[in-house]
Amino acid sequence: MRLALSSPPGAPRARLHLLPCAVDHDGAAPVERFFAPAVRTPGEPDEPAVSFRGRSLRGKRVSLPEGYVGLVVEEDPAPFSASEASFRAGGGEWEQTVRVRSTFESLTVWNLERAPGSGDGVLMAFGWPKIAEGRTRLESTEKGPSPSGADSRAQPARGAVRADEIQS
């Protein structure tokens, strides 16, 4: 499967919350009306607390690595026909369009009872772009300068998007 990523000009900014539970809903939710007003900051401003369905949640606001932007995407509904089904069954590729609904530069990660720490998987994932850049620099140093004079900036990890690569 190939993805065609398109971004509307001026995609709105989103405030994201990553909750430690499954919510049986896929789509927009009135977070600003019900969840956000209940959030309090008893200690550090970047470590909010809230009660969700009677459970105590502690959060941490996390910014994406410098130069990166997060994308909230939505898959375009594609008509599913018998010919497409046989194409898929035969191992062929098809193109699917994913549209950018909004962008984000930070999100709040929530845990039950304790604030997320450096050992949490989501927070550890934010360190990968720096690791990738360091590895790319090390490989570039070992190989010497590129004969083509190509841009030697580190490329983002799979699934990440550098802010300067988004096309309107």
Side-chain angles (χ1 to χ4, degrees), residues 3-144:
L3 300 177
L5 190 63
S6 63
S7 174
R13 295 264 185 225
R15 290 188 63 194
L16 297 183
H17 297 273
L18 182 59
L19 298 172
C21 61
V23 177
D24 197 17
H25 176 71
D26 188 15
V31 172
E32 294 301 320
R33 183 171 172 209
F34 295 107
F35 187 75
V39 174
R40 57 195 185 284
T41 53
E44 296 292 319
D46 284 343
E47 293 189 2
V50 72
S51 179
F52 182 70
R53 294 185 177 177
R55 303 288 305 265
S56 173
L57 300 179
R58 301 278 313 273
K60 182 170 184 79
R61 287 192 186 95
V62 182
S63 295
L64 296 180
E66 188 176 331
Y68 287 79
V69 63
L71 304 176
V72 177
V73 297
E74 178 178 54
E75 185 177 38
D76 278 354
F80 190 73
S81 65
S83 62
E84 188 175 346
S86 63
F87 181 70
R88 290 179 183 182
E93 286 192 19
W94 72 95
E95 189 168 315
Q96 181 65 47
T97 303
V98 176
R99 303 225 181 268
V100 176
R101 290 190 50 136
S102 58
T103 62
F104 62 97
E105 293 179 355
S106 66
L107 69 149
T108 304
V109 180
W110 297 92
N111 273 345
L112 290 171
E113 310 296 331
R114 64 170 181 79
S118 60
D120 283 276
V122 171
L123 299 184
M124 289 181 1
F126 286 108
W128 279 103
K130 285 189 184 263
I131 293 169
E133 287 178 17
R135 180 179 172 151
T136 301
R137 280 193 208 112
L138 179 62
E139 288 174 356
S140 297
T141 304
E142 290 172 353
K143 292 178 183 176

